[in-house]
Every structure is written in C-alpha cells, then in structure tokens.
Amino acid sequence: MTDQEFAQHFEAYMQGKRDEMRAKYNRVLPSGEYIFNRFDKAPYLNCGKGSSVYDTCVVMGDVEIGENVWVGPYTLLEGASGKLKIGNFVSIDSGVMIYTHDSTKYYVSGGKSPFVHADVTIGDNTVIGTMSMVGAGVTIGNHCVIGAHSFVNKDIPDYSIAAGIPAKVIGEVIINEDGTADFKYF
C-alpha cells in the first residue's frame, strides 16, 4: 500500500468514526479520541474498575487512579516529582492540571530556592472542577467539590466546597441519610 492509499483509507476511516460519533452522541471530538478509547486507556494505566481517561490526558510519573474515576479531556496528571493518588468515584473535569512539583520559587530566585517535590492526594467522591489547578503537596479530602477555574495550593478538608484563586472553603457537602448530596454555602 502506498502512502497515498493509506492516507485515503485512514481519512475514510476517520470520517466514518466522526459520522458515527455525531449520529450516536452528537459529539465531534479530537481525532485521537476516535482511535483510542478512553475506557481502554484506563486499564493500560492500571486504573481501577470502571474508570476512563481521555486520550488527550497527559499522564506522567507515579499516578494511581481508583475505581469509577472520570478523567476528562485536556488534563494533566503529573506524578513525576511525587506520588499522585486519586481515590474512587472522582471526576477530574476538562482542563484540570495536577502537579507534584513547583518550580516557581526556583525560577524567581535565580535558582537559589529549591524545586518543591511533594505528593498529592485526591480523596474519594470528589469533583475537581473544569480548568482548575492543584499544586504540589495538596490533599483534597473525601466528598469535596472544587469550583471551576480554582487554584488549590493548600489542603481542603473532607466535605468541603472550595473555589477561587487561591481556593478557599466556601461551603460544605452534606450527605443525606438516603445517600443523596446537598450543598450548603457560607
């Protein structure tokens, strides 16, 4: 098969996948998402049962992902400088970046301050909102909600709603007797 024949077959294949996705789900995705299934990437990364990781997610280093975790598109899970542990039933929304290092003081000091290398832990039943960033050394508790576009640079206790730059606790998650959730804002 020539390069030109391959290109024609590949384009026809991709067009078929695009058409199928649009007809079935009314979605148009980046090309890689048609080739690589997010439910196949998760087992490849040794994620827990029922988890999915979009192809556009960059995963580096020591990253542990629990069961029933959704890792959205255009995310970064950086465990190259420490362990990144994500619990069970967690949503890492689109565009989220989680880092186990921080080089800011190193660069602003002209190399006199050290790089920070620290583990990050995301608890069970937690949502990290779209386009948020979680910094090195942070622990986010169980049953937490991090608002979209937040910068989390300190620990967030269990059952907290936090948002902002930097993120501050602005409410609490209430788990009712029947297991449903409610949000109480301060």
Side-chain angles (χ1 to χ4, degrees), residues 52-164:
S52 70
V53 179
Y54 272 78
D55 184 55
T56 54
C57 174
V58 175
V59 181
M60 300 165 33
D62 189 5
V63 177
E64 179 184 321
I65 300 172
E67 295 182 356
N68 300 304
V69 174
W70 183 81
V71 180
Y74 303 107
T75 50
L76 171 66
L77 305 179
E78 184 272 307
S81 297
K83 182 175 185 85
L84 169 54
K85 183 177 181 192
I86 299 170
N88 298 315
F89 229 93
V90 173
S91 179
I92 307 293
D93 293 355
S94 301
V96 167
M97 297 175 285
I98 304 174
Y99 292 95
T100 61
H101 81 280
D102 185 343
S103 60
T104 307
K105 289 180 181 177
Y106 173 82
Y107 284 106
V108 299
S109 72
K112 292 179 178 53
S113 294
F115 268 65
V116 173
H117 304 272
D119 296 346
V120 172
T121 302
I122 311 296
D124 295 339
N125 307 299
T126 290
V127 174
I128 310 297
T130 299
M131 301 297 287
S132 292
M133 185 175 122
V134 178
V138 168
T139 296
I140 297 174
N142 298 312
H143 302 277
C144 288
V145 176
I146 305 300
H149 299 272
S150 294
F151 170 50
V152 185
N153 64 348
K154 64 182 179 187
D155 293 352
I156 304 296
D158 291 348
Y159 299 95
S160 293
I161 301 169

Side-chain angles (χ1 to χ4, degrees), residues 6-87:
F6 175 77
Q8 289 172 340
H9 286 292
F10 182 71
E11 184 55 40
Y13 170 80
M14 291 302 293
Q15 191 59 51
K17 289 300 216 178
R18 283 186 195 103
D19 293 344
E20 177 185 336
M21 183 65 70
R22 193 162 193 185
K24 192 170 183 181
Y25 301 108
N26 196 23
R27 293 183 186 171
V28 178
L29 303 174
S31 296
E33 300 295 344
Y34 298 116
I35 301 168
F36 302 103
N37 185 312
R38 62 190 169 105
F39 290 100
D40 294 336
K41 186 172 182 176
Y44 177 76
L45 295 169
N46 295 315
C47 299
K49 180 180 163 189
S51 292
S52 70
V53 179
Y54 272 78
D55 184 55
T56 54
C57 174
V58 175
V59 181
M60 300 165 33
D62 189 5
V63 177
E64 179 184 321
I65 300 172
E67 295 182 356
N68 300 304
V69 174
W70 183 81
V71 180
Y74 303 107
T75 50
L76 171 66
L77 305 179
E78 184 272 307
S81 297
K83 182 175 185 85
L84 169 54
K85 183 177 181 192
I86 299 170

